[in-house]
Amino acid sequence: MGRLDNRVAIVTGAAHGERAALGSHFAKALAAEGAKVTLADLKDCASVAAEIESSGGQALSVRADVRDEQSLHAMAQATLERFGSIDILVNNAAVGSNIPPVPVLELEASAWDEMYAVNVRGPFLCVKAVLPQMRRQKYGKVINIGSATIYSGLPNRLHYVSGKGAIHVMTRSLARELGPDGICVNTIAYGLITSALTEHEMEQDPAHRARVFGPRMMQVHVHVGDVLGGLVFLASAESDRMTGQCLMIDPGSVCL
Ligand SMILES: NC(=O)c1ccc[n+]([C@@H]2O[C@H](COP(=O)([O-])OP(=O)(O)OC[C@H]3O[C@@H](n4cnc5c(N)ncnc54)[C@H](O)[C@@H]3O)[C@@H](O)[C@H]2O)c1
């Protein structure tokens, strides 16, 4: 018996991504608890969907661009046709956690707009795409992906960090608006997730390593496996009395 049996989830940004590929891990974790999962990304998610199916789960891979309302409507429709409901939306797709540092005076307005189109407007459009079905069901779980950097601040990435700030605020406002429909809206947030790539970057640049580890109360890495329990909790009935909140998984670099 899984904690998400009979639930249907959509995870955006669920391909094998450039950075930590968290979306693919999120999709697999939800499927392992029994959810049927739509994997949506600009890139092909077929290999992730095949992994889920070979483990006995059910998965649908769709191409979707979170900047494009039509494609998100198609994503929701394809999910309904295949699985019959939409219970969980994981607003994971984003760009920019891996961009090179840009001082504010060198940050082009066009780069700001491009980032916001994916990282802020995208989750808003994804909610619009699934909301009619969640309202019909009188049940839903929207999980937005935030970042610990909104509490600590981070220089030279103003568009990324402020966009994540918008996500945290959007969570609160949406939670208040959608509470009467039985829809929970929460954020899960974390700092840098250690992957093979980030480990290599820290080896090359000890100052970067010191910036990441210096503020942590516990001098430990956070790997993708460390955040999956929180994600499943927010997707499951265990968090049915929790909305408008931020679940921070962080070894003490910031305290709320
Ligand atoms: N990796 C970290 O250390 C870290 C830390 C804090 C927060 N986050 C957040 O976690 C989430 C996942 O990060 P990640 O490191 O796995 O990133 P990633 O780059 O590995 O994956 C992001 C995925 O989003 C997809 N995507 C990008 N633009 C899209 C669009 N317009 N439409 C649909 N899909 C699109 C990409 O193709 C990619 O598969 C993001 O929201 C990120 O901001 C990551």
Side-chain angles (χ1 to χ4, degrees):
M1 182 78 180
R3 290 150 77 197
L4 301 174
D5 281 350
N6 303 316
R7 296 294 185 206
V8 175
I10 295 177
V11 181
T12 66
H16 284 298
E18 308 293 324
R19 196 81 178 159
L22 294 168
S24 65
H25 294 280
F26 291 162
K28 286 188 264 187
L30 298 175
E33 287 292 344
K36 299 163 192 156
V37 186
T38 294
L39 303 101
D41 203 295
L42 283 177
K43 293 190 289 191
D44 191 2
C45 300
S47 63
V48 185
E51 270 183 68
I52 290 172
E53 300 230 312
S54 70
S55 306
Q58 292 187 57
L60 172 69
S61 166
V62 299
R63 294 273 188 160
D65 183 343
V66 301
R67 295 166 295 188
D68 174 14
E69 207 160 4
Q70 292 273 56
S71 100
L72 297 175
H73 180 70
M75 169 190 81
Q77 277 308 113
T79 303
L80 285 175
E81 278 161 29
R82 171 81 186 270
F83 298 131
S85 67
I86 303 172
D87 306 295
I88 301 155
L89 168 67
V90 183
N91 263 326
N92 169 75
V95 290
S97 63
N98 55 340
I99 50 160
V102 195
V104 64
L105 275 180
E106 291 164 31
L107 179 58
E108 299 289 344
S110 58
W112 178 285
D113 290 345
E114 281 164 29
M115 175 91 59
Y116 267 62
V118 180
N119 292 14
V120 181
R121 190 171 167 269
F124 150 63
L125 292 182
C126 288
V127 168
K128 277 188 79 180
V130 303
L131 187 53
Q133 179 60 25
M134 287 186 175
R135 275 205 162 125
R136 269 193 292 277
Q137 299 168 181
K138 284 271 169 207
Y139 188 83
K141 299 280 195 175
V142 175
I143 305 170
N144 294 321
I145 310 296
S147 171
T149 58
I150 77 149
Y151 298 105
S152 59
L154 184 67
N156 303 318
R157 286 186 179 81
L158 188 62
H159 50 345
Y160 178 77
V161 179
S162 64
K164 285 297 178 187
I167 291 298
H168 285 248
V169 177
M170 204 149 92
T171 293
R172 277 186 221 132
S173 290
L174 269 176
R176 205 163 276 289
E177 185 168 339
L178 304 184
D181 296 305
I183 299 168
C184 298
V185 187
N186 291 294
T187 299
I188 185 168
Y190 34 81
L192 183 73
I193 301 290
T194 301
S195 62
L197 179 64
T198 57
E199 209 149 7
H200 175 71
E201 285 168 354
M202 283 192 264
E203 268 166 30
Q204 301 294 307
D205 181 359
H208 174 48
R209 186 187 182 83
R211 271 194 304 278
V212 172
F213 278 87
R216 290 185 178 176
M217 295 172 186
M218 299 170 80
Q219 299 290 301
V220 293
H221 287 279
V222 180
H223 293 101
V224 61
D226 296 315
V227 300
L228 297 179
L231 191 274
V232 170
F233 166 70
L234 289 180
S236 75
E238 293 155 24
S239 59
D240 275 356
R241 294 293 174 270
M242 174 173 169
T243 195
Q245 308 301 318
C246 173
L247 179 61
M248 178 81 91
I249 300 181
D250 183 76
S253 55
V254 287
C255 294
L256 303 188

